[in-house]
Amino acid sequence: MTEHQVRNAASGSLFSPRRQRWLILAHAFNMDGRAASQTITDKIPHLLDAGVELVVLSGVMGAQDLRFEHHRLWSSGPSGFRFELRHVLRQKVASRWLYRLCMNLVSLVLLPAMLVERVLKPVESSWSWQYSATRKARQLARDKPFDLIYSTGGAFAAHLAGRRLQRQLGVPWLAEIHDPFVHPGSVPTTRRQKAYAQVESVICSHADVAIWFTQQAMESARRRNPQLGERGRVMLPGVDSPFKGAMPAYKAGSKLVIGHFGSLSATRTLTPFMHAWHQIDQNEPATGKDLELHIYGGALDSTSVALASQWGLTDRIRQFGRIETDPATGQSGRDQVLAKMRQCDALLLVHGEDTICEEYIPSKLYEYLWMQRPIIATVHDNPQMAEIMRGQGHLVAESSLRNGGNSQNAAPELADHIVSLWKQWRTQGLPDSGHVSPYTSQASTQQLIGWAQQFIAQ
């Protein structure tokens, strides 16, 4: 009998059902619009409905949750503290010059410690949050033991804290990995890459259940860490319907508006879309003239900016940036974004062109599926993602890094899809699909509870 079971037996829990008490470790929690937050916060209502007693330890950047015991903790190290303070001050200090003054003063004070930290720990800034979480969890466990540790991220500090507490408290540990720690086909060489590989090894060696969000990610981790055995699991996180009531109405306008929501970068670029648009302008000028691209959540990536300027597309692109909570109405940034999605004629989902795409499905996909608007997706070396999209009746343009390929290979197919949508839009419009997404947080939470039941003594 384990130490955990002995404690439960002392309270009679081996002989009578009782409420389970879970410790959730999530550095990003209740952070409006953040995928790492949404993945866990969307599960919370279903865990509460299942009668689970929750204790959440998170960073300080998200809002306090009053539905259960929630402790917001600062990172112990200087880089993490500075990163978190910057986020908190942005929320609370309206004056830009006062914000900069505060951050400059704090940065000056922390500079010596940050330089030492950078030499000793050249990893993500929040790495030291593990110590804050471990201390707090031990303190809480002395008052009332936990039945399960559930680390989710995102930030790997949550998983390292989970392992420490598993060892110190003798409690089962479930680790949920959002993005792969090691890029497919690569061998870690830098200290940062080796640190991520070590975290993966710790999870594969010790977690009672290790969860990945794609089949390929789990299989790759098992090849690197055969000790994982059958403890690896795959969960499609999904999202529940994001609408509290009726969906905002869709109404077609005078332009075919294609909306992209989310950040863009050198490896997640709109380059394939720009090439497709240029091809349409050359071959189907009537279609190209009617197109309008709306960008939400971040700036247009530099390569796409250059291509748009070169090919005369700039005047048909509108950039709205990140949408925050409206202080006048109190409407959250997420709710505003949902309304904007519903107003688009079609939604654009860009996968990227990095090797990580083989093992990664953007969380935005699951949200898009609830919008009932046509989706055009570029998918890079990921058959599982392509199958999900096509299975729900949406349009996919595939590309590959294999055989010298790149994301631009998706441009011709992407152009065909856009022209096809335009023809339908011009003749009969683009009505809502009426499809309800099967990929829900409720379904993934039921999976999670099922796995947990294997280790929690009743």
Side-chain angles (χ1 to χ4, degrees):
M1 183 178 290
T2 68
E3 177 188 349
H4 179 60
Q5 290 172 321
V6 169
R7 287 200 302 269
N8 287 341
S11 64
S13 63
L14 284 176
F15 308 101
S16 60
R18 64 174 180 79
R19 193 179 185 196
Q20 297 174 10
R21 179 173 163 89
W22 288 23
L23 173 66
I24 297 179
L25 304 170
H27 183 256
F29 188 87
N30 270 359
M31 294 181 68
D32 185 25
R34 298 294 180 93
S37 169
Q38 185 176 329
T39 297
I40 175 59
T41 54
D42 283 0
K43 293 187 180 77
I44 294 297
H46 304 300
L47 291 171
L48 293 174
D49 288 345
V52 178
E53 179 184 353
L54 301 180
V55 177
V56 174
L57 303 186
S58 75
V60 298
M61 299 180 292
Q64 183 74 41
D65 202 316
L66 302 177
R67 295 172 295 173
F68 44 82
E69 189 174 352
H70 177 201
H71 301 273
R72 298 160 68 240
L73 309 172
W74 293 89
S75 290
S76 303
S79 296
F81 176 80
R82 180 182 179 275
F83 174 80
E84 292 158 358
L85 180 64
R86 183 174 60 189
H87 187 92
V88 170
L89 287 179
R90 279 177 178 167
Q91 294 177 321
K92 297 184 178 299
V93 178
S95 170
R96 181 172 295 183
W97 73 264
L98 182 58
Y99 163 79
R100 289 180 176 174
L101 176 62
C102 292
M103 285 308 306
N104 286 339
L105 290 174
V106 169
S107 298
L108 186 62
V109 172
L110 294 177
L111 181 60
M114 289 175 61
L115 292 175
V116 173
E117 183 185 42
R118 185 169 299 177
V119 172
L120 298 178
K121 285 285 185 180
V123 292
E124 62 187 29
S125 61
S126 60
W127 72 274
S128 62
W129 185 81
Q130 61 181 296
Y131 303 115
S132 305
T134 302
R135 286 194 297 269
K136 186 63 178 181
R138 284 202 308 262
Q139 173 193 333
L140 296 171
R142 284 195 293 268
D143 297 330
K144 188 176 182 182
F146 297 106
D147 296 293
L148 181 81
I149 300 162
Y150 169 29
S151 62
T152 175
F156 67 58
H159 302 306
L160 294 179
R163 169 54 184 157
R164 287 173 179 273
L165 293 166
Q166 178 200 39
R167 185 174 63 247
Q168 295 170 8
L169 304 179
V171 178
W173 169 38
L174 273 64
E176 180 183 272
I177 300 99
H178 292 184
D179 298 329
F181 288 125
V182 179
H183 278 224
S186 69
V187 176
T189 55
T190 68
R191 291 180 63 188
R192 184 182 181 90
Q193 291 169 348
K194 290 178 180 179
Y196 278 101
Q198 180 60 32
V199 174
E200 180 185 79
S201 178
V202 167
I203 293 171
C204 291
S205 299
H206 300 289
D208 294 281
V209 174
I211 303 164
W212 283 265
F213 287 168
T214 67
Q215 185 70 31
Q216 185 58 42
M218 189 270 288
E219 291 174 355
S220 293
R222 181 182 286 154
R223 282 195 296 271
R224 290 186 293 267
N225 302 275
Q227 70 272 24
L228 173 64
E230 298 305 311
R231 290 177 291 111
R233 300 287 190 275
V234 177
M235 172 198 293
L236 295 179
V239 297
D240 296 323
S241 174
F243 300 107
K244 299 179 178 66
M247 289 192 302
Y250 160 73
K251 183 178 180 181
S254 59
K255 296 291 184 181
L256 178 61
V257 175
I258 298 177
H260 179 272
F261 294 78
S263 60
L264 295 166
S265 66
T267 55
R268 183 188 289 172
T269 170
L270 291 188
T271 298
F273 183 85
M274 295 301 166
H275 279 271
W277 200 350
H278 180 52
Q279 291 179 27
I280 292 170
D281 271 356
Q282 290 182 314
N283 303 320
E284 302 279 352
T287 303
K289 185 180 65 175
D290 279 342
L291 291 182
E292 195 166 276
L293 175 65
H294 290 190
I295 306 292
Y296 293 90
L300 192 61
D301 62 278
S302 57
T303 303
S304 298
V305 168
L307 292 177
S309 176
Q310 176 184 343
W311 292 329
L313 306 175
T314 305
D315 61 342
R316 286 172 277 172
I317 299 173
R318 298 181 62 191
Q319 300 189 59
F320 297 90
R322 181 175 174 81
I323 298 180
E324 304 287 355
T325 299
D326 187 339
T329 64
Q331 188 179 29
S332 71
R334 187 179 184 189
D335 285 344
Q336 294 177 68
V337 165
L338 293 174
K340 298 294 184 184
M341 288 182 185
R342 286 285 301 148
Q343 292 167 11
C344 292
D345 296 291
L347 299 171
L348 177 63
L349 183 64
V350 177
H351 194 200
E353 55 182 83
D354 201 337
T355 54
I356 200 71
C357 294
E358 298 177 26
E359 302 179 358
Y360 161 77
I361 295 175
S363 59
K364 189 63 68 178
L365 179 154
Y366 302 110
E367 192 169 52
Y368 272 12
L369 290 177
W370 281 104
M371 296 303 112
Q372 299 193 17
R373 305 304 306 139
I375 303 171
I376 312 170
T378 61
V379 177
H380 202 62
D381 282 330
N382 194 314
Q384 185 180 18
M385 179 178 168
E387 182 180 354
I388 290 172
M389 297 296 302
R390 291 190 177 113
Q392 296 301 301
H394 297 289
L395 303 171
V396 173
E398 293 192 71
S399 61
S400 175
L401 284 176
R402 301 182 179 98
N403 301 318
N406 57 47
S407 65
Q408 293 179 29
N409 295 346
E413 191 174 10
L414 192 58
D416 290 342
H417 289 327
I418 294 169
V419 171
S420 175
L421 284 177
W422 176 82
K423 289 178 179 177
Q424 184 180 349
W425 174 77
R426 290 288 292 172
T427 55
Q428 63 190 64
L430 295 171
D432 289 340
S433 67
H435 294 166
V436 175
S437 173
Y439 303 103
T440 66
S441 296
Q442 182 177 20
S444 61
T445 306
Q446 289 172 348
Q447 278 187 295
L448 186 71
I449 292 173
W451 294 328
Q453 297 294 350
Q454 303 172 30
F455 302 96
I456 299 177
Q458 298 295 320

